[in-house]
Amino acid sequence: MISIQCKDVRKCFINGKNKTEALRSVNLEILDKKLTLLVGPSGSGKTTLLSIIETILTPDEGDLFLLGQHVNKMNELEKAYFRNKNIGVVFQALHLIPTLTVLENVILPLIIKGEEENNAKKKGASLLEQLYIKEKMNLPHTQLSIGEQQRAAIARALINDPKIILCDEPTSALDQENGHAIMAILRDLASSDNRTVFVITHDHRIFPFADHIININDGIVEKKNE
Ligand SMILES: Nc1ncnc2c1ncn2[C@@H]1O[C@H](COP(=O)(O)OP(=O)(O)OP(=O)(O)O)[C@@H](O)[C@H]1O
Ligand SMILES: [Mg+2]
């Protein structure tokens, strides 16, 4: 099933006299249960496209459909609700909070939503167990390896059980072994849990993990390799 669809999406940034066409008529269809990579050079529009799909950036033109819903028709509050319920994001800079333990970081989105703390902790611990870092859950993330921190960030992205997982360069700071471990987890999430996993990357070592690879160049999505 198509879970992410862009129709003729355009985005331009204007700073004084400078105009950058970050996205020029992007048409995309991304399937659920699949891991799709978005690959392209620096400045080609990857993060811009991811931010639009994340619903935090509004396109100048074109239509975005997520899980069959027409995002253009949502107001800001509806978008925020949709995002919180359906989208999990993993960034290259992990944005983990150093004064909290790993478990506290992971359950933060649930606490914000008003979930009871003990329930939230049970959910968080079970997720960390699946990602093989439960024994580290009461430490601050600064005492974890980079690969373990990346898994903690994935746990936090998953805590609300989102259908769409977006990742911006999730393996670029990792060695081959940890990078492969993260990609194996992401691929597993896509295929076994009925989710859509969409990953921006420069890292050719992880191309073999993809079901589909989409190339973007100078704001234009070029081709889709099946
Ligand atoms: N807020 C902004 N204001 C002005 N220009 C911007 C803004 N955000 C992005 N751009 C420009 O839009 C183009 C696409 O940027 P984007 O961040 O999407 O690239 P990217 O493919 O993610 O690059 P990288 O691989 O370096 O992260 C670039 O030319 C960039 O300078
Ligand atoms: Mg980027």
Side-chain angles (χ1 to χ4, degrees), residues 2 5 9 15 36 39 53 69 71 74 84 97 118 137 141 160 172 175-176 191 208:
I2 296 166
Q5 187 175 26
V9 164
N15 281 326
T36 302
V39 180
I53 294 172
Q69 295 192 45
V71 175
M74 296 179 193
N84 189 38
I97 298 169
N118 279 331
M137 72 180 188
H141 75 86
N160 275 334
S172 60
D175 61 22
Q176 171 126 342
S191 57

Side-chain angles (χ1 to χ4, degrees), residues 42-129:
S42 183
S44 58
K46 300 184 298 297
T47 299
T48 304
L49 182 55
L50 196 88
S51 305
I52 285 175
I53 294 172
E54 196 191 341
T55 78
I56 57 168
L57 190 68
T58 307
D60 299 332
E61 285 178 51
D63 295 288
L64 173 66
F65 296 87
L66 296 176
L67 306 174
Q69 295 192 45
H70 196 182
V71 175
N72 303 55
K73 291 189 175 153
M74 296 179 193
N75 64 33
E76 288 307 314
L77 199 62
E78 288 166 338
K79 272 195 251 181
Y81 181 77
F82 181 91
R83 190 160 58 233
N84 189 38
K85 183 166 185 281
N86 296 302
I87 301 179
V89 187
V90 181
F91 301 96
Q92 180 181 5
L94 302 172
H95 303 305
L96 294 167
I97 298 169
T99 50
L100 300 180
T101 66
V102 166
L103 182 62
E104 286 164 347
N105 266 288
V106 167
I107 66 171
L108 199 56
L110 289 181
I111 299 297
I112 290 169
K113 237 173 60 178
E115 181 137 349
E116 196 271 319
E117 191 173 336
N118 279 331
N119 277 344
K121 281 188 169 163
K122 263 187 218 150
K123 276 188 198 167
S126 136
L127 208 47
L128 289 167
E129 189 168 19

Side-chain angles (χ1 to χ4, degrees), residues 11-15 18-23 38-51 57 92 168-169 200-202 216 218-219:
K11 184 73 191 178
C12 206
F13 293 108
I14 296 168
N15 281 326
N18 288 330
K19 186 175 163 194
T20 308
E21 286 190 74
L23 297 175
L38 180 70
V39 180
S42 183
S44 58
K46 300 184 298 297
T47 299
T48 304
L49 182 55
L50 196 88
S51 305
L57 190 68
Q92 180 181 5
D168 200 343
E169 301 273 5
I200 289 180
T201 191
H202 279 110
I216 183 166
D218 199 16

Side-chain angles (χ1 to χ4, degrees), residues 3-4 14 20 24 29 39 43 54 68 73-74 128 138-139 141 145-146 162 175 185-186 188:
S3 51
I4 303 173
I14 296 168
T20 308
R24 314 164 194 248
E29 289 180 352
V39 180
E54 196 191 341
K73 291 189 175 153
M74 296 179 193
L128 289 167
N138 292 318
L139 299 174
H141 75 86
S145 75
I146 300 289
D175 61 22
I185 288 165
L186 291 174
D188 228 42

